Amino acid sequence: TQSTWGGLTLMKAVIQRVLSASVTVDGEIVSSIGKGLLVLIGVSRDDTDTDAQFICRKLLNLRLWPNAEDKQWATNVTQNDFEVLLVSQFTLYALTNKGTKPDFHLAMSPDSARDFYDRFVQMVKANYSADKVGNGMFGAMMKVDLCNDGPVTILLDSNEKS
């Protein structure tokens, strides 16, 4: 099966280094962070726990900040004790090569995706610090506010694990 990023379907993450970010649902902030990472997560119908483990490990270990000596790309979110905000984003699987209406058939079905995504959130919390990891509201119409830092935006997919 082909994905919009080429190759097989795979778990996707859009990682943004932020000074702050928040998710609002129905006018109420459901989660917010200070300095850290806002991560949009796309889950494909073929994703496995191996894909989730790869994305988790990568996002927590990517060196996106300078160190104390101001050497760029030297430290990660955990070394800096920064925060992570995870947001489910099935639209990362939009196929737009035919017509003008996006096709989402490569995304995992909503019920399966909710369970997979919830397990992923727990995995990130277990591998970092539960109080440093925020979460959007799966399936809700969310307003995501952020203040980009850089900007630094990294596209990640679990196909890189091979």
Side-chain angles (χ1 to χ4, degrees), residues 22-27 30-31 140-145:
S22 65
V23 175
T24 302
V25 176
D26 294 331
V30 296
S31 191
M141 184 60 76
M142 296 177 272
K143 291 185 178 19
V144 180
D145 292 311

Side-chain angles (χ1 to χ4, degrees), residues 16-159:
Q16 296 177 289
R17 189 176 75 181
V18 298
L19 297 174
S20 63
S22 65
V23 175
T24 302
V25 176
D26 294 331
E28 289 193 36
I29 294 175
V30 296
S31 191
S32 65
I33 64 167
K35 200 167 191 177
L37 299 175
L38 169 64
V39 186
L40 306 177
I41 298 293
V43 181
S44 86
R45 62 185 185 193
D46 300 323
D47 284 337
T48 66
D49 287 343
T50 302
D51 296 292
Q53 291 162 358
F54 174 82
I55 295 292
C56 175
R57 184 173 57 254
K58 232 14 183 178
L59 80 88
L60 292 177
N61 289 292
L62 277 173
R63 296 180 299 167
L64 302 177
W65 287 273
N67 63 15
E69 292 78 41
D70 211 28
K71 179 183 176 201
Q72 293 300 310
W73 315 109
T75 62
N76 62 42
V77 68
T78 64
Q79 291 168 316
N80 288 294
D81 203 31
F82 292 158
E83 296 173 289
V84 178
L85 178 54
L86 302 170
V87 177
S88 176
Q89 181 94 33
F90 78 94
T91 59
L92 292 177
Y93 282 95
L95 294 176
T96 58
N97 54 338
K98 293 182 181 175
T100 56
K101 180 182 176 187
D103 174 352
F104 302 108
H105 79 273
L106 295 179
M108 191 177 282
S109 68
D111 289 339
S112 298
R114 179 184 305 270
D115 181 55
F116 188 92
Y117 176 76
D118 287 345
R119 287 194 326 267
F120 177 74
V121 171
Q122 292 311 311
M123 182 185 299
V124 175
K125 288 180 175 185
N127 282 278
Y128 184 28
S129 176
D131 65 326
K132 295 284 185 185
V133 179
N135 182 17
M137 187 177 288
F138 187 95
M141 184 60 76
M142 296 177 272
K143 291 185 178 19
V144 180
D145 292 311
L146 67 138
C147 181
N148 253 318
D149 183 15
V152 173
T153 302
I154 306 291
L155 303 177
L156 227 158
D157 65 62
S158 60
N159 196 43

